[in-house]
């Protein structure tokens, strides 16, 4: 897996919303972690399990190379990025229905998405993100802000965040911070874990989960521009 520091990513015009993140992982021996660059041949041969509005997707459990993998949030992003993809960003109710149906039909217990709260360096003085539990969430794959977590997103008929969780309060609740001091900074879709159906939850980023990857137009365009003879 090719790893690059943020400076190289910027030079390559692959601008990301957050710097390389030191994920909070109990007893971790992996202190420095970075975002991966896409691999041209992997991009050309990326899994295309299903397509929605021009984007290809795949669920890791259906791909032989990843079927038995359970990885943390950053590792999941990097696996996707090497394919010119990123973790799924669920931006519309139709896309949400697609992901929920995948989870339901395949009895998937949970998946990672690209959802992230802006609680890292550079977010400290952003008053527009406060309180972060309401206004600080965004899709890291494309750097688009999510709707406030206490509101129904525009164009949706319901709020996809769960009404309950470990603390039996509405999500996101940052519950693990009260248990071991770890922030629940990443977003996962859980399948009835709290008897709440399929719904969105904030989860500590170090947990190991399967994942759904979605085409990244930014990464595909970059590889296309630097590999003009490569068919993507």
């Amino acid at each position: 897996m090719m790893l690059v520091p943020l400076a190289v990513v910027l030079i390559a015009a692959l601008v990301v919303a957050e710097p390389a993140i030191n994920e909070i992982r109990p007893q971790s021996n992996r202190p420095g972690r970075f975002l991966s660059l896409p691999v041209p041949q992997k991009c050309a041969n990326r899994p295309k399990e299903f397509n929605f509005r021009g984007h290809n997707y795949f669920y890791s459990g259906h791909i032989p190379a990843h079927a038995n993998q359970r990885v943390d949030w950053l590792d999941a992003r990097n696996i996707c990025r090497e394919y010119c993809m990123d973790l799924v960003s669920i931006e519309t109710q139709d896309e949400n229905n697609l992901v929920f149906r995948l989870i339901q039909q395949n009895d998937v217990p949970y998946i990672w998405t690209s959802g992230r709260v802006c609680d890292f360096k550079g977010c400290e003085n952003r008053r527009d993100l406060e309180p972060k539990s309401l206004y600080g969430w965004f899709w890291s794959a494309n750097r688009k802000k999510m709707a406030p977590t206490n509101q129904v997103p525009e164009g949706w008929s319901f709020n996809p965040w769960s009404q309950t969780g470990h603390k039996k309060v509405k999500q996101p609740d940052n519950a693990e911070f009260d248990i071991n001091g770890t922030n629940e900074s990443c977003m996962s879709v859980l399948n009835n874990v709290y008897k709440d159906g399929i719904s969105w939850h904030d989860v500590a980023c170090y947990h190991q989960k399967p994942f759904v990857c979605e085409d990244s137009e930014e990464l595909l365009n970059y590889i296309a521009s630097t590999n003009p003879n490569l068919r993507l």
Side-chain angles (χ1 to χ4, degrees):
M1 181 179 289
M2 183 179 180
L3 301 176
V4 293
L6 183 62
V8 175
V9 176
L10 290 172
I11 291 171
L14 299 177
V15 182
V16 294
E18 70 269 37
I21 301 167
N22 289 331
E23 296 294 351
I24 300 171
R25 180 195 291 259
Q27 300 180 346
S28 173
N29 60 358
R30 305 169 66 190
R33 304 177 63 196
F34 304 92
L35 286 174
S36 293
L37 282 174
V39 178
Q41 204 56 46
K42 279 191 171 184
C43 295
N45 297 313
R46 68 192 183 282
K48 300 176 181 178
E49 184 180 357
F50 53 94
N51 186 284
F52 178 73
R53 294 184 177 174
H55 279 195
N56 294 294
Y57 299 72
F58 74 82
Y59 164 55
S60 60
H62 289 166
I63 307 303
H66 306 297
N68 297 317
Q69 280 187 310
R70 299 290 185 272
V71 296
D72 69 25
W73 183 82
L74 187 57
D75 281 348
R77 279 200 75 188
N78 281 337
I79 290 169
C80 294
R81 285 174 60 87
E82 290 193 353
Y83 289 113
C84 282
M85 304 174 96
D86 210 322
L87 286 174
V88 64
S89 301
I90 308 174
E91 299 177 78
T92 67
Q93 186 166 327
D94 285 342
E95 190 173 19
N96 189 72
N97 292 342
L98 187 75
V99 172
F100 278 27
R101 188 161 54 248
L102 169 74
I103 290 172
Q104 182 181 47
Q105 292 178 350
N106 295 278
D107 196 25
V108 178
Y110 33 63
I111 62 157
W112 281 128
T113 76
S114 77
R116 184 71 161 83
V117 70
C118 193
D119 61 356
F120 40 82
K121 185 177 180 180
C123 302
E124 303 92 337
N125 300 318
R126 291 285 301 274
R127 292 186 178 181
D128 60 309
L129 302 179
E130 298 296 340
K132 289 187 172 62
S133 62
L134 294 181
Y135 303 109
W137 286 87
F138 71 104
W139 299 113
S140 60
N142 56 24
R143 302 176 297 283
K144 293 182 180 179
K145 285 187 69 174
M146 295 185 193
T149 59
N150 63 345
Q151 297 179 17
V152 174
E154 184 178 354
W156 294 54
S157 62
F158 69 101
N159 188 330
W161 289 94
S162 178
Q163 296 298 310
T164 189
H166 179 77
K167 297 168 70 173
K168 302 189 185 304
V169 298
K170 189 182 182 305
Q171 299 296 293
D173 63 358
N174 203 28
E176 193 163 337
F177 185 81
D178 295 337
I179 300 170
N180 60 24
T182 302
N183 285 319
E184 294 188 334
S185 300
C186 295
M187 199 206 100
S188 175
V189 179
L190 306 187
N191 186 356
N192 206 36
V193 171
Y194 295 98
K195 309 300 181 186
D196 57 344
I198 302 172
S199 52
W200 296 9
H201 285 258
D202 58 329
V203 176
C205 304
Y206 72 85
H207 287 286
Q208 310 279 301
K209 300 184 186 301
F211 50 92
V212 172
C213 296
E214 175 186 359
D215 275 352
S216 166
E217 293 180 13
E218 184 175 55
L219 298 182
L220 285 166
N221 289 339
Y222 169 69
I223 289 299
S225 68
T226 54
N227 298 267
N229 296 321
L230 190 68
R231 185 172 182 177
L232 297 170

